[in-house]
Amino acid sequence: MRIAAISVTPLFPDYVHGGSQKILADVATGLKTNGHDVEIWCPHLDGNVDDFEIGNVIVHRTLKLRGTFPATHQVSPADLIETTQALRKAAEWANRVYLHADAIYLRQALEGKQIVRSIHDYMYEEALLSTLTLPADITIVPSEYLKDCIEATVALSGRKTIEPIIVIPNGVHVPETLPQPQLPDDILPREENDLILLYPHRPEPTKGVCEALQTAAMIQNLDRSRNVRLLMPSSAWDKDMDESTISANEIRQTAEVYGASDIVETHEWLSAAEMPGYYAAGDVTLCVGSFVEAFGLVPVESIANGTPAVCASVGALRQFSAISGISLVTHGDIPATANAVLSAVANSDSTDLTESERFWIATGYSEAKMVSKFEDVMTHTIPEKREIKVAPGNQLKLAPWCYVEGEAIFDDYIAGWSDYPELVAALKAGYGLVPADPLLLSASLDAEVRYARRYGILIPDFIFE
């Protein structure tokens, strides 16, 4: 089968910009290995329009898009027309079109082709608008969390039908043996009393820059016997591609505010081949931001390479509660985060535990399983759209982007808590449901229900069939 894979974000021969692009490369090369004719179309950067290959997959840099969030299509009309023509040629060549992370607004160029798309976040406007306004025959997502969020959002928008949404977890490479620790070339070697914390994310505020700096500073205050070092990537091309990222100077200025100037060390962005050694060189990996992760590759990759992770309990990161090497903490609770890091360091000497976690990841999140499931979707008949209906009983349920702790409810999209003692008790008593009819509620519960509905914490109970 000829598969045209299209991405609004550039790809590069030697490095990967973000987890989503790594998944695209892994899926495309996997499908190519399985005998399919796969080619990728993406934007060019800095005028470089030459084709190149990733694992024998040809990458065409012919789309005249900026490739810079949050304005991928902010180009001239002439560039948009040229991009439309390139997309039309790709669609004419292909048996099936795959829109990776979608955000391809020029749908008229793909007319007459079945479209398989994937969504890898539900924070940026590209993903939100794509699921609400752009047609697709099937959507692939990496987690049940993201599937639930998309279905709830589309249902709340008033749409009566929705395409099938298939969950295919991201694939993670687990090396047969733990890699040799390898710090970046521009970072000083490890000393005996170092405690190295890794921040392997784009330097973007919602990814936890401030939280990581605060956590590192608190750990240094709690344990003066160790030299705490927080490693954080920074590079010029990353800033060019994502206008939400901050520079090395801004990182250092922020570090001064939190008393972490002597703790944070910035380095260049690393290639995919360098990441296993980087993970292995750390003591703990931090994923403590408010960004609503749709899967959370970083903590799983960290465990795969032998290093525990501490994560804020936000978005799909909550799905990793069963992995003993991943500690979940309340977002923004810096003392709890610091203590979780110290506990992870204290418990990280168990080789048997590390190997058990690595085996669990290799079994549940293998790259081969991911490629096989993508191939199944790409090559088989696509099911019909599903009808969206309000479930009988006039009941409300907690929105999928919220979770309960104690008497409070956390909302991923505001990264904050609100107290709902009556509502939490009612949800527990009603197995996750509460009546929508105010006549069936006490005055105090009705007030909480009204408030929760207004702010998208409670939503109607929908069914999809």
Side-chain angles (χ1 to χ4, degrees):
M1 176 173 281
R2 292 193 303 274
I3 301 169
I6 299 169
S7 169
V8 298
T9 303
L11 281 83
F12 305 93
D14 302 318
Y15 53 84
V16 176
H17 180 260
S20 169
Q21 296 308 88
K22 177 183 183 301
I23 296 303
L24 172 56
D26 290 343
V27 168
T29 56
L31 291 172
K32 182 77 171 183
T33 299
N34 289 354
H36 301 284
D37 193 356
V38 184
E39 297 186 12
I40 299 174
W41 280 260
C42 73
H44 62 78
L45 203 63
D46 299 329
N48 188 346
V49 297
D50 294 335
D51 292 350
F52 66 95
E53 291 188 3
I54 296 178
N56 294 322
V57 174
I58 297 174
V59 179
H60 305 284
R61 292 188 274 203
T62 57
L63 306 185
K64 289 198 171 183
L65 301 173
R66 288 181 66 199
T68 303
F69 287 103
T72 54
H73 290 66
Q74 191 174 334
V75 294
S76 73
D79 283 345
L80 286 176
I81 295 304
E82 193 167 332
T83 295
T84 301
Q85 294 168 350
L87 291 172
R88 185 171 291 116
K89 289 180 180 178
E92 290 172 350
W93 169 83
N95 301 120
R96 186 155 288 176
V97 173
Y98 169 55
L99 304 183
H100 183 77
D102 202 351
I104 295 294
Y105 301 142
L106 307 169
R107 280 297 203 266
Q108 70 274 18
L110 309 175
E111 192 172 348
K113 291 291 182 178
Q114 286 191 312
I115 295 174
V116 177
R117 69 168 165 211
S118 62
I119 301 294
H120 296 267
D121 75 80
Y122 219 47
M123 280 286 289
Y124 296 119
E125 67 179 42
E126 284 83 356
L128 292 161
L129 288 175
S130 294
T131 59
L132 286 170
T133 66
L134 299 177
D137 295 286
I138 196 165
T139 295
I140 297 172
V141 296
S143 65
E144 290 288 344
Y145 172 84
L146 183 52
K147 178 178 186 289
D148 292 342
C149 286
I150 293 174
E151 288 181 340
T153 303
V154 172
L156 287 168
S157 76
R159 283 243 306 269
K160 301 303 181 184
T161 62
I162 187 171
E163 74 278 3
I165 300 179
I166 308 298
V167 176
I168 303 179
N170 289 337
V172 177
H173 174 68
V174 180
E176 292 186 9
T177 59
L178 289 175
Q180 288 297 314
Q182 182 64 53
L183 290 172
D185 292 338
D186 47 348
I187 293 294
L188 292 174
R190 174 191 277 273
E191 299 290 341
E192 185 176 351
N193 68 331
D194 285 347
L195 194 164
I196 297 181
L197 306 178
L198 304 179
Y199 174 96
H201 314 276
R202 293 176 294 111
E204 195 264 300
T206 65
K207 288 284 187 176
V209 173
C210 293
E211 292 91 338
L213 291 167
Q214 292 176 78
T215 297
M218 179 164 285
I219 292 170
Q220 186 66 87
N221 289 331
L222 292 172
D223 188 354
R224 294 291 184 178
S225 68
R226 306 290 294 270
N227 177 40
V228 179
R229 302 172 62 187
L230 172 63
L231 309 189
M232 190 172 289
S234 174
S235 60
W237 65 263
D238 192 48
K239 182 68 175 177
D240 289 340
M241 288 184 58
D242 188 343
E243 294 175 345
S244 64
T245 58
I246 61 177
S247 66
N249 284 335
E250 290 171 311
I251 291 173
R252 286 189 283 270
Q253 291 169 5
T254 307
E256 289 181 13
V257 174
Y258 296 115
S261 296
D262 296 330
I263 296 174
V264 67
E265 302 173 36
T266 60
H267 58 81
E268 291 301 310
W269 191 262
L270 302 178
S271 68
E274 294 173 299
M275 288 305 297
Y278 178 77
Y279 281 123
D283 292 299
V284 177
T285 296
L286 298 180
C287 307
V288 293
S290 62
F291 188 87
V292 186
E293 298 287 355
F295 178 77
L297 266 176
V298 166
V300 183
E301 289 178 335
S302 183
I303 296 295
N305 291 286
T307 299
V310 172
C311 305
S313 188
V314 177
L317 292 176
R318 294 193 285 269
Q319 72 181 316
F320 300 136
S321 59
I323 303 179
S324 56
I326 297 179
S327 303
L328 295 181
V329 295
T330 300
H331 172 256
D333 189 338
I334 303 303
T337 305
N339 285 322
V341 170
L342 292 173
S343 295
V345 172
N347 297 329
S348 63
D349 293 334
S350 173
T351 302
D352 291 342
L353 185 60
T354 300
E355 288 307 311
S356 173
E357 294 161 350
R358 281 162 38 81
F359 177 79
W360 194 90
I361 291 169
T363 303
Y365 298 109
S366 76
E367 291 176 316
K369 183 181 292 186
M370 175 184 70
V371 171
S372 176
K373 290 184 176 180
F374 262 88
E375 183 177 29
D376 188 60
V377 172
M378 294 287 186
T379 58
H380 285 75
T381 302
I382 293 177
E384 296 293 324
K385 290 184 180 293
R386 299 169 293 157
E387 290 188 12
I388 304 173
K389 299 178 181 178
V390 176
N394 196 23
Q395 301 270 63
L396 302 172
K397 66 179 181 180
L398 197 66
W401 45 82
C402 297
Y403 82 101
V404 173
E405 187 173 300
E407 293 186 339
I409 297 176
F410 183 82
D411 184 336
D412 289 331
Y413 283 89
I414 65 170
W417 295 90
S418 298
D419 290 326
Y420 289 95
E422 296 276 348
L423 175 56
V424 168
L427 286 169
K428 291 179 180 178
Y431 300 97
L433 298 171
V434 295
D437 187 347
L439 297 178
L440 301 176
L441 307 174
S442 67
S444 57
L445 177 56
D446 180 48
E448 290 189 10
V449 167
R450 288 176 183 272
Y451 191 87
R453 292 191 72 174
R454 178 183 177 185
Y455 290 100
I457 292 170
L458 280 181
I459 63 173
D461 185 21
F462 295 101
I463 56 175
F464 303 85
E465 58 184 19

